[in-house]
Coordinates of all heavy atoms in Angstrom, one line a residue:
G241 N 159.4 190.7 53.1 CA 159.4 189.3 53.2 C 160.8 188.7 53.3 O 161.8 189.4 53.3
L242 N 160.8 187.3 53.3 CA 162.1 186.7 53.4 C 162.9 186.8 52.1 O 162.3 187.1 51.0 CB 161.9 185.2 53.6 CG 161.1 184.8 54.9 CD1 160.9 183.3 55.0 CD2 161.7 185.4 56.2
N373 N 171.5 185.2 63.9 CA 170.3 185.0 63.2 C 169.6 186.4 62.8 O 168.9 186.5 61.8 CB 169.3 184.2 64.0 CG 169.5 182.7 63.8 OD1 168.9 182.0 63.0 ND2 170.5 182.1 64.5
L374 N 169.9 187.4 63.7 CA 169.3 188.7 63.4 C 170.0 189.4 62.3 O 169.4 190.3 61.7 CB 169.3 189.5 64.7 CG 168.3 189.2 65.8 CD1 168.6 190.0 67.1 CD2 166.9 189.5 65.3
A375 N 171.2 189.1 62.1 CA 172.0 189.8 61.1 C 171.5 189.6 59.7 O 171.1 190.5 59.0 CB 173.5 189.3 61.1
S376 N 171.3 188.3 59.3 CA 170.8 188.0 58.0 C 170.7 186.5 57.9 O 171.4 185.7 58.6 CB 171.7 188.5 56.8 OG 172.9 187.8 56.8
V377 N 169.9 186.0 56.9 CA 169.8 184.6 56.7 C 171.1 184.0 56.2 O 171.5 182.9 56.5 CB 168.6 184.2 55.7 CG1 168.9 184.7 54.3 CG2 168.4 182.7 55.7
R544 N 161.3 180.8 61.8 CA 160.6 180.7 60.4 C 159.2 180.1 60.6 O 158.3 180.5 59.8 CB 161.5 179.9 59.5 CG 162.5 180.7 58.7 CD 163.0 181.9 59.3 NE 164.0 182.6 58.5 CZ 164.9 183.4 59.1 NH1 165.0 183.6 60.4 NH2 165.8 184.1 58.4
R561 N 156.5 190.3 59.8 CA 157.2 191.5 59.3 C 158.7 191.2 59.3 O 159.3 190.5 60.2 CB 157.0 192.7 60.2 CG 155.5 193.1 60.2 CD 155.4 194.5 60.8 NE 153.9 194.8 61.0 CZ 153.4 194.9 62.2 NH1 154.1 194.7 63.3 NH2 152.1 195.1 62.4
T562 N 159.4 191.7 58.3 CA 160.8 191.4 58.1 C 161.6 192.8 58.0 O 161.0 193.8 57.7 CB 161.2 190.6 56.9 OG1 160.6 191.2 55.7 CG2 160.5 189.2 57.0
T563 N 162.9 192.7 58.3 CA 163.7 193.9 58.1 C 164.1 194.0 56.7 O 163.8 193.1 55.9 CB 165.0 193.7 59.0 OG1 165.8 192.6 58.5 CG2 164.7 193.5 60.4
H564 N 164.9 195.0 56.3 CA 165.3 195.2 54.9 C 166.3 194.0 54.5 O 166.5 193.8 53.3 CB 166.0 196.5 54.7 CG 167.3 196.7 55.4 ND1 167.5 196.9 56.7 CD2 168.6 196.6 54.9 CE1 168.7 197.0 57.0 NE2 169.4 196.8 55.9
R565 N 166.8 193.3 55.5 CA 167.7 192.1 55.2 C 166.9 190.9 55.1 O 167.4 189.8 54.9 CB 168.7 192.0 56.3 CG 169.8 193.1 56.3 CD 170.8 192.8 57.4 NE 171.9 193.8 57.4 CZ 173.0 193.7 56.7 NH1 173.2 192.6 56.0 NH2 173.9 194.6 56.8
G566 N 165.5 191.0 55.2 CA 164.7 189.8 55.1 C 164.7 188.9 56.3 O 164.4 187.7 56.3
V567 N 164.9 189.5 57.5 CA 165.0 188.8 58.8 C 163.7 189.1 59.6 O 163.3 190.2 59.8 CB 166.2 189.2 59.6 CG1 166.1 188.6 61.0 CG2 167.5 188.9 58.9
P568 N 163.0 188.0 60.0 CA 161.8 188.2 60.8 C 162.2 188.5 62.3 O 162.2 187.6 63.1 CB 161.0 186.9 60.7 CG 162.1 185.9 60.4 CD 163.2 186.6 59.6
R569 N 162.5 189.8 62.5 CA 163.1 190.1 63.8 C 162.2 189.7 65.0 O 162.7 189.1 66.0 CB 163.4 191.6 63.9 CG 164.0 192.1 65.2 CD 164.2 193.6 65.2 NE 165.1 194.0 64.1 CZ 165.1 195.3 63.6 NH1 164.2 196.2 64.0 NH2 166.0 195.6 62.7
A570 N 160.9 190.1 65.0 CA 160.0 189.8 66.1 C 159.9 188.3 66.3 O 159.9 187.9 67.5 CB 158.7 190.4 65.8
I572 N 162.1 186.0 65.7 CA 163.4 185.6 66.3 C 163.5 185.9 67.8 O 163.8 185.1 68.6 CB 164.6 186.1 65.6 CG1 164.7 185.5 64.2 CG2 165.9 185.9 66.3 CD1 165.8 186.2 63.3

Side-chain angles (χ1 to χ4, degrees):
L242 303 179
N373 276 266
L374 285 172
S376 68
V377 67
R544 270 27 177 209
R561 299 194 190 107
T562 58
T563 66
H564 70 282
R565 291 179 177 270
V567 174
R569 180 185 295 160
I572 291 174

